[in-house]
Amino acid sequence: MHSLTARSFPLRRPRGVLPMARGAGPAGPRQVFCYHCDHPLTVGAMAMSTNCPGCNKPIILEDIVVKSYKAVFNVETCGKLIVKKGGRVVAQKRIVAHAGIESDGVIQCKTAITGSHVRLGKKSEWRGDLRTPTLIVEPGAKIQTSHFSVPDDPLEHLKKNDQ
Amino acid sequence: MADPAVNETVIGSDTTIKGDMTVESRARILGKFEGTIRAKGHLEIADAAQCRADVETGTVQIDGTMQGNITASDKAQLNATARVSGDLVAAKLIVAEGAAFTGHVSVGPDAVKGSGHHTPTPPAPPAPDASDKSGKK
Ligand SMILES: [Zn+2]
């Protein structure tokens, strides 16, 4: 029985935060990790959401695009968080964007964790702790006192040499 | 605006220096440095350089390994090979893809104005009275 009709996942996407479908492309299945329990799962290239087989919680797979003021509790996606010029994200708790963050607007959060690069554009503003493997800051970006960790321990190679 | 003919202090790749350095114009570190650096102009920490210092400068460009707090009144540039650990205050920050960094960051024109706590400690605090040994440390 083919019951592949749109199934409404009980997703709690923050109000006013627009999801953006991933760019059309013939890419095959991709592997993502659940941001609740780190369970790995394979999803279709165009999948926008699913339920984690590990914790059974709903997870968002698509990119989240913000173009205006959005105050939310958490921003969580296995895709990217894209804040356009004029956009402002105020997350009371955390931002998790496994595919990275691109900002030309304002981001305020308590902590942000990404699995890919973070780019802060020249007109962007940032406030909140950040853990990311790669950071790109363009001249002109404003950062209020925040703890950055890019990646976890940049002096790891020195410690190895000392031993 | 930097005059290419201006004096530049270079610490060579086979040199290790411990102490406090004050440079009026430009400085380039290719070797190892420990202490504090105060450069009014431009400071460059080259690819293989290892620097364990608190730095106060106009602009700083880091390609090597740096441990310590950095205050750049104008611009801090972390290139792809930079490995930095410490707090950073700068009016402008450029981080290239691949640079590694950990520490507190404040960036923007306002960040530098209110950054008194990141100023490197002066080389030797003058003792008010050398004969007074019973006083505080
Ligand atoms: Zn899960």
mmCIF file with all atom_site columns, all heavy atoms in Angstrom, chain A residues 34 36-39 52 54-56, ligand 1:
data_model
loop_
_atom_site.group_PDB
_atom_site.id
_atom_site.type_symbol
_atom_site.label_atom_id
_atom_site.label_alt_id
_atom_site.label_comp_id
_atom_site.label_asym_id
_atom_site.label_entity_id
_atom_site.label_seq_id
_atom_site.pdbx_PDB_ins_code
_atom_site.Cartn_x
_atom_site.Cartn_y
_atom_site.Cartn_z
_atom_site.occupancy
_atom_site.B_iso_or_equiv
_atom_site.pdbx_formal_charge
_atom_site.auth_seq_id
_atom_site.auth_comp_id
_atom_site.auth_asym_id
_atom_site.auth_atom_id
_atom_site.pdbx_PDB_model_num
ATOM   1  N  N   . CYS A 1 34 ? 21.103 13.033 14.951 1.00 0.00 ? 34 CYS A N   1
ATOM   2  C  CA  . CYS A 1 34 ? 20.010 13.637 15.710 1.00 0.00 ? 34 CYS A CA  1
ATOM   3  C  C   . CYS A 1 34 ? 20.592 14.644 16.693 1.00 0.00 ? 34 CYS A C   1
ATOM   4  O  O   . CYS A 1 34 ? 21.567 14.357 17.386 1.00 0.00 ? 34 CYS A O   1
ATOM   5  C  CB  . CYS A 1 34 ? 19.266 12.544 16.472 1.00 0.00 ? 34 CYS A CB  1
ATOM   6  S  SG  . CYS A 1 34 ? 18.095 13.165 17.678 1.00 0.00 ? 34 CYS A SG  1
ATOM   7  N  N   . HIS A 1 36 ? 19.140 15.689 19.278 1.00 0.00 ? 36 HIS A N   1
ATOM   8  C  CA  . HIS A 1 36 ? 18.703 15.379 20.649 1.00 0.00 ? 36 HIS A CA  1
ATOM   9  C  C   . HIS A 1 36 ? 19.611 14.317 21.284 1.00 0.00 ? 36 HIS A C   1
ATOM   10 O  O   . HIS A 1 36 ? 20.004 14.441 22.432 1.00 0.00 ? 36 HIS A O   1
ATOM   11 C  CB  . HIS A 1 36 ? 17.265 14.859 20.651 1.00 0.00 ? 36 HIS A CB  1
ATOM   12 C  CG  . HIS A 1 36 ? 16.279 15.820 20.085 1.00 0.00 ? 36 HIS A CG  1
ATOM   13 N  ND1 . HIS A 1 36 ? 15.974 17.025 20.680 1.00 0.00 ? 36 HIS A ND1 1
ATOM   14 C  CD2 . HIS A 1 36 ? 15.516 15.757 18.958 1.00 0.00 ? 36 HIS A CD2 1
ATOM   15 C  CE1 . HIS A 1 36 ? 15.063 17.659 19.953 1.00 0.00 ? 36 HIS A CE1 1
ATOM   16 N  NE2 . HIS A 1 36 ? 14.779 16.915 18.903 1.00 0.00 ? 36 HIS A NE2 1
ATOM   17 N  N   . CYS A 1 37 ? 19.906 13.270 20.496 1.00 0.00 ? 37 CYS A N   1
ATOM   18 C  CA  . CYS A 1 37 ? 20.606 12.117 21.087 1.00 0.00 ? 37 CYS A CA  1
ATOM   19 C  C   . CYS A 1 37 ? 21.846 11.689 20.305 1.00 0.00 ? 37 CYS A C   1
ATOM   20 O  O   . CYS A 1 37 ? 22.478 10.694 20.661 1.00 0.00 ? 37 CYS A O   1
ATOM   21 C  CB  . CYS A 1 37 ? 19.644 10.942 21.203 1.00 0.00 ? 37 CYS A CB  1
ATOM   22 S  SG  . CYS A 1 37 ? 19.199 10.227 19.606 1.00 0.00 ? 37 CYS A SG  1
ATOM   23 N  N   . ASP A 1 38 ? 22.209 12.419 19.252 1.00 0.00 ? 38 ASP A N   1
ATOM   24 C  CA  . ASP A 1 38 ? 23.385 12.102 18.422 1.00 0.00 ? 38 ASP A CA  1
ATOM   25 C  C   . ASP A 1 38 ? 23.259 10.788 17.656 1.00 0.00 ? 38 ASP A C   1
ATOM   26 O  O   . ASP A 1 38 ? 24.260 10.267 17.145 1.00 0.00 ? 38 ASP A O   1
ATOM   27 C  CB  . ASP A 1 38 ? 24.674 12.072 19.265 1.00 0.00 ? 38 ASP A CB  1
ATOM   28 C  CG  . ASP A 1 38 ? 25.126 13.451 19.665 1.00 0.00 ? 38 ASP A CG  1
ATOM   29 O  OD1 . ASP A 1 38 ? 24.747 14.405 18.952 1.00 0.00 ? 38 ASP A OD1 1
ATOM   30 O  OD2 . ASP A 1 38 ? 25.831 13.579 20.671 1.00 0.00 ? 38 ASP A OD2 1
ATOM   31 N  N   . HIS A 1 39 ? 22.090 10.244 17.592 1.00 0.00 ? 39 HIS A N   1
ATOM   32 C  CA  . HIS A 1 39 ? 21.894 8.998  16.845 1.00 0.00 ? 39 HIS A CA  1
ATOM   33 C  C   . HIS A 1 39 ? 22.091 9.279  15.350 1.00 0.00 ? 39 HIS A C   1
ATOM   34 O  O   . HIS A 1 39 ? 21.504 10.206 14.816 1.00 0.00 ? 39 HIS A O   1
ATOM   35 C  CB  . HIS A 1 39 ? 20.475 8.481  17.110 1.00 0.00 ? 39 HIS A CB  1
ATOM   36 C  CG  . HIS A 1 39 ? 20.257 7.086  16.626 1.00 0.00 ? 39 HIS A CG  1
ATOM   37 N  ND1 . HIS A 1 39 ? 20.034 6.778  15.304 1.00 0.00 ? 39 HIS A ND1 1
ATOM   38 C  CD2 . HIS A 1 39 ? 20.236 5.899  17.287 1.00 0.00 ? 39 HIS A CD2 1
ATOM   39 C  CE1 . HIS A 1 39 ? 19.871 5.469  15.168 1.00 0.00 ? 39 HIS A CE1 1
ATOM   40 N  NE2 . HIS A 1 39 ? 19.995 4.917  16.366 1.00 0.00 ? 39 HIS A NE2 1
ATOM   41 N  N   . CYS A 1 52 ? 13.571 10.708 14.794 1.00 0.00 ? 52 CYS A N   1
ATOM   42 C  CA  . CYS A 1 52 ? 14.805 9.995  15.101 1.00 0.00 ? 52 CYS A CA  1
ATOM   43 C  C   . CYS A 1 52 ? 14.457 8.582  15.563 1.00 0.00 ? 52 CYS A C   1
ATOM   44 O  O   . CYS A 1 52 ? 13.643 8.415  16.470 1.00 0.00 ? 52 CYS A O   1
ATOM   45 C  CB  . CYS A 1 52 ? 15.559 10.750 16.186 1.00 0.00 ? 52 CYS A CB  1
ATOM   46 S  SG  . CYS A 1 52 ? 16.920 9.807  16.867 1.00 0.00 ? 52 CYS A SG  1
ATOM   47 N  N   . GLY A 1 54 ? 16.357 6.767  17.206 1.00 0.00 ? 54 GLY A N   1
ATOM   48 C  CA  . GLY A 1 54 ? 16.994 6.564  18.511 1.00 0.00 ? 54 GLY A CA  1
ATOM   49 C  C   . GLY A 1 54 ? 16.133 7.056  19.658 1.00 0.00 ? 54 GLY A C   1
ATOM   50 O  O   . GLY A 1 54 ? 15.892 6.329  20.629 1.00 0.00 ? 54 GLY A O   1
ATOM   51 N  N   . CYS A 1 55 ? 15.654 8.287  19.549 1.00 0.00 ? 55 CYS A N   1
ATOM   52 C  CA  . CYS A 1 55 ? 14.895 8.860  20.661 1.00 0.00 ? 55 CYS A CA  1
ATOM   53 C  C   . CYS A 1 55 ? 13.437 9.131  20.286 1.00 0.00 ? 55 CYS A C   1
ATOM   54 O  O   . CYS A 1 55 ? 12.657 9.570  21.131 1.00 0.00 ? 55 CYS A O   1
ATOM   55 C  CB  . CYS A 1 55 ? 15.553 10.148 21.138 1.00 0.00 ? 55 CYS A CB  1
ATOM   56 S  SG  . CYS A 1 55 ? 15.598 11.435 19.880 1.00 0.00 ? 55 CYS A SG  1
ATOM   57 N  N   . ASN A 1 56 ? 13.116 8.885  19.022 1.00 0.00 ? 56 ASN A N   1
ATOM   58 C  CA  . ASN A 1 56 ? 11.752 9.045  18.526 1.00 0.00 ? 56 ASN A CA  1
ATOM   59 C  C   . ASN A 1 56 ? 11.255 10.495 18.561 1.00 0.00 ? 56 ASN A C   1
ATOM   60 O  O   . ASN A 1 56 ? 10.064 10.750 18.472 1.00 0.00 ? 56 ASN A O   1
ATOM   61 C  CB  . ASN A 1 56 ? 10.786 8.134  19.294 1.00 0.00 ? 56 ASN A CB  1
ATOM   62 C  CG  . ASN A 1 56 ? 9.643  7.684  18.404 1.00 0.00 ? 56 ASN A CG  1
ATOM   63 O  OD1 . ASN A 1 56 ? 9.818  7.552  17.194 1.00 0.00 ? 56 ASN A OD1 1
ATOM   64 N  ND2 . ASN A 1 56 ? 8.482  7.471  18.990 1.00 0.00 ? 56 ASN A ND2 1
HETATM 65 ZN ZN  . ZN  C 2 .  ? 17.418 11.191 18.647 1.00 0.00 ? 1  ZN  C ZN  1
#
